[in-house]
């Protein structure tokens, strides 16, 4: 265990130094990600200046909803960049190098790289949105709510990591899953910035049972805010984010372990 922890530290330090070798460039790239993602928030802000609320959610409550989405993605991408870019690794033959090393394949993929620009940009925006909104949405923070929040963030990270792991595993069979990733993850993630109650029942079903972004931010936010539109969903959903996260990741992990046996090098 001591050796594994040491190796994780070495991997993290090496990748961080690589990404931030040119500090000004790194700062500007991270800022560019921050500003790019902020544009959607700015649009919502000006929209609600005219309409006041969105299905009962005011601007600060929507910012709190968004903060969970950005914060969990910022943490997730630190660990799962290798899975996000796994298709490129397979097509280039780079995965063969991982196979030859005396470490677990998934361990190497998770810790051998991290998109620090995306992590700082998304995560930083999540922290800013949390600081702006958390004190203005009527949440009375206590130990239990802080613990719930931390477990919800961890669950949200695992849910998104599980999706990336499944999509990465599909590259073993299909070689290229970029379109699937755009459709199933990044496009569905755009819906998650809003209360799912505003969408058609079909979209709600997908976001709860197929691509469960609702458990990343909507239901955790509902636990803390208790908005009226929660009446349309079972109360137990408020507590399931960590369970869904662990369950999805274990299922994705077993799919990975099964599928990697059938890997055939694509060459370079």
């Amino acid at each position: 265990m001591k050796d594994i922890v040491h190796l994780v530290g070495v991997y993290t330090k090496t990748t961080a130094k690589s990404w931030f070798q040119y500090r000004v460039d790194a700062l500007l790239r991270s800022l560019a990600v921050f500003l790019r993602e902020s544009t959607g928030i700015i649009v919502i802000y000006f929209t609600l200046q005219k309409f006041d609320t969105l299905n009962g959610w005011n601007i600060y409550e929507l910012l709190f909803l968004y903060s969970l989405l950005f914060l969990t993605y910022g943490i997730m991408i630190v660990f799962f960049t290798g899975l996000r870019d796994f298709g490129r690794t397979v097509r280039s033959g780079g995965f063969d190098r991982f196979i030859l090393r005396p470490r677990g394949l998934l361990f190497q993929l998770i810790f051998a790289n991290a998109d620090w620009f995306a992590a700082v940009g998304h995560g930083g925006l999540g922290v800013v949105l949390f600081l702006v909104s958390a004190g203005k949405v009527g949440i009375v923070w206590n130990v239990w709510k802080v613990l719930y929040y931390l477990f919800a963030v961890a669950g949200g990270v695992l849910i998104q990591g599980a999706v990336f792991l499944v999509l990465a595993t599909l590259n073993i069979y299909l070689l290229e899953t970029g379109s699937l990733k755009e459709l199933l993850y990044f496009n569905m993630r755009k819906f998650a910035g809003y209360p799912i109650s505003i969408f058609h029942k079909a979209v709600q079903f997908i976001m709860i049972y197929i691509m469960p972004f609702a458990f990343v931010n909507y239901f955790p936010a509902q636990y803390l805010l208790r908005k009226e539109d929660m009446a349309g969903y079972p109360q137990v959903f408020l507590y399931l984010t960590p369970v869904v996260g662990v369950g999805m990741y274990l299922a994705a992990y077993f799919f990975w372990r099964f599928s990697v046996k059938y890997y055939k090098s694509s060459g370079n």
Side-chain angles (χ1 to χ4, degrees):
M1 179 59 71
K2 182 179 179 181
D3 180 54
I4 292 175
V5 172
H6 173 72
L7 190 57
V8 169
V10 171
Y11 269 131
T12 303
K13 182 178 179 180
T14 302
T15 55
K17 288 177 69 174
S18 174
W19 281 84
F20 292 100
Q21 181 178 4
Y22 303 102
R23 296 181 181 179
V24 175
D25 180 68
L27 176 64
L28 292 177
R29 289 193 183 191
S30 299
L31 181 61
V33 174
F34 181 96
L35 294 176
R36 182 192 68 199
E37 300 301 327
S38 298
T39 55
I41 307 297
I42 293 171
V43 169
I44 291 176
Y45 176 80
F46 284 112
T47 300
L48 288 187
Q49 292 300 303
K50 183 176 181 63
F51 295 103
D52 192 36
T53 64
L54 182 63
N55 199 30
W57 291 66
N58 64 40
I59 182 61
Y60 291 108
E61 291 164 342
L62 287 173
L63 293 182
F64 186 80
L65 191 66
Y66 260 107
S67 72
L68 281 163
L69 188 63
F70 284 113
L71 182 59
T72 53
Y73 183 83
I75 297 172
M76 185 273 295
I77 206 61
V78 171
F79 299 102
F80 296 105
T81 297
L83 298 179
R84 184 195 65 184
D85 302 334
F86 185 64
R88 187 185 311 156
T89 303
V90 169
R91 291 190 301 275
S92 68
F95 189 48
D96 296 9
R97 297 199 314 270
F98 290 99
I99 293 175
L100 296 174
R101 295 171 181 170
R103 288 291 177 185
L105 293 174
L106 193 56
F107 175 88
Q108 294 182 70
L109 286 170
I110 289 176
F111 292 107
N113 196 11
D115 186 347
W116 286 100
F117 300 149
V120 173
H122 286 83
L125 180 57
V127 171
V128 169
L129 293 177
F130 176 83
L131 293 176
V132 169
S133 62
K136 298 183 179 181
V137 291
I139 301 174
V140 180
W141 292 97
N142 54 41
V143 173
W144 298 113
K145 288 183 179 179
V146 170
L147 287 174
Y148 174 89
Y149 184 85
L150 294 176
F151 276 105
V153 168
V157 170
L158 286 176
I159 289 170
Q160 295 174 84
V163 173
F164 271 29
L165 181 53
V166 169
L167 292 173
T169 304
L170 289 176
N171 279 283
I172 294 174
Y173 303 101
L174 305 176
L175 291 183
E176 174 59 68
T177 60
S179 297
L180 275 175
K181 192 185 305 175
E182 286 293 328
L183 176 65
L184 297 178
Y185 182 83
F186 290 107
N187 286 339
M188 290 305 302
R189 184 170 175 263
K190 294 176 182 177
F191 288 99
Y194 303 90
I196 66 169
S197 57
I198 70 172
F199 298 118
H200 188 275
K201 291 294 184 181
V203 176
Q204 295 182 40
F205 181 86
I206 292 171
M207 294 187 68
I208 294 173
Y209 299 106
I210 308 244
M211 293 295 292
F213 274 107
F215 291 98
V216 173
N217 64 341
Y218 179 74
F219 292 125
Q222 281 285 17
Y223 175 86
L224 297 166
L225 301 178
R226 304 292 173 143
K227 301 296 294 178
E228 293 182 0
D229 57 329
M230 183 61 204
Y233 310 100
Q235 290 292 308
V236 70
F237 283 178
L238 298 174
Y239 308 97
L240 291 184
T241 293
V243 177
V244 172
V246 172
M248 283 187 62
Y249 193 79
L250 287 176
Y253 175 73
F254 286 121
F255 179 49
W256 162 266
R257 288 292 300 270
F258 171 81
S259 299
V260 78
K261 300 174 185 177
Y262 299 95
Y263 170 73
K264 295 180 180 179
S265 177
S266 64
N268 54 43

